[in-house]
Amino acid sequence: QVLLVESGGGLVQPGESLRLSCAASGSIVSIPTMAWYRQARGKERELVASLTRGGISKYADSVRGRFTISRDNTRKTVDLQMNSLKPEDTAVYYCYADVTIVGDYKYRAFWGRGTQVTVSS
């Protein structure tokens, strides 16, 4: 139906950068919202950043000024540029998309399987 595939996770030292990418595929009509969430061990999943098709962005306070979300509506991708990474950023990062699909009128949520980001010295 709809598949979200993340890439770009890995192990980095504090202060370094990573760029996460997510590609959506399937019988997609439109994607009103694309976003990145993360879940650290022992914590609840939290919104990192989101971006609507119209260009409205939202960031968690903990990442504002360090992370930048972007999307390519033609390619159906969303990226997260993560700079000045901190150990507190260590988590599994999940791609999210709120989409409409062929043959349906309702928005539906889809999630990627996640990619691990570890920030450690």
Side-chain angles (χ1 to χ4, degrees):
Q1 191 175 34
V2 174
L3 179 65
L4 303 179
V5 179
E6 304 103 332
S7 62
L11 173 65
V12 297
Q13 295 183 338
E16 296 298 316
S17 298
L18 278 176
R19 187 177 184 89
L20 304 182
S21 296
C22 174
S25 61
S27 301
I28 298 170
V29 176
S30 65
I31 311 178
T33 301
M34 302 189 82
W36 288 94
Y37 287 76
R38 68 185 181 188
Q39 186 167 22
R41 174 175 286 187
K43 297 184 178 180
E44 295 185 351
R45 185 181 61 209
E46 65 173 345
L47 175 68
V48 179
S50 64
L51 183 61
T52 70
R53 185 178 180 88
I56 301 173
S57 61
K58 181 167 62 178
Y59 292 92
D61 290 340
S62 59
V63 308
R64 187 176 292 108
R66 298 187 298 120
F67 292 8
T68 302
I69 188 171
S70 61
R71 61 186 284 176
D72 187 321
N73 294 329
T74 300
R75 296 169 50 227
K76 298 183 179 66
T77 61
V78 59
D79 289 0
L80 185 69
Q81 178 65 44
M82 304 185 294
N83 297 328
S84 302
L85 283 162
K86 305 174 180 179
E88 307 92 274
D89 296 318
T90 297
V92 177
Y93 284 70
Y94 297 93
C95 180
Y96 166 91
D98 183 9
V99 310
T100 59
I101 63 175
V102 173
D104 201 342
Y105 298 102
K106 296 185 178 296
Y107 299 157
R108 300 187 184 277
F110 292 90
W111 296 86
R113 296 185 65 180
T115 184
Q116 177 70 46
V117 172
T118 302
V119 185
S120 179
S121 59

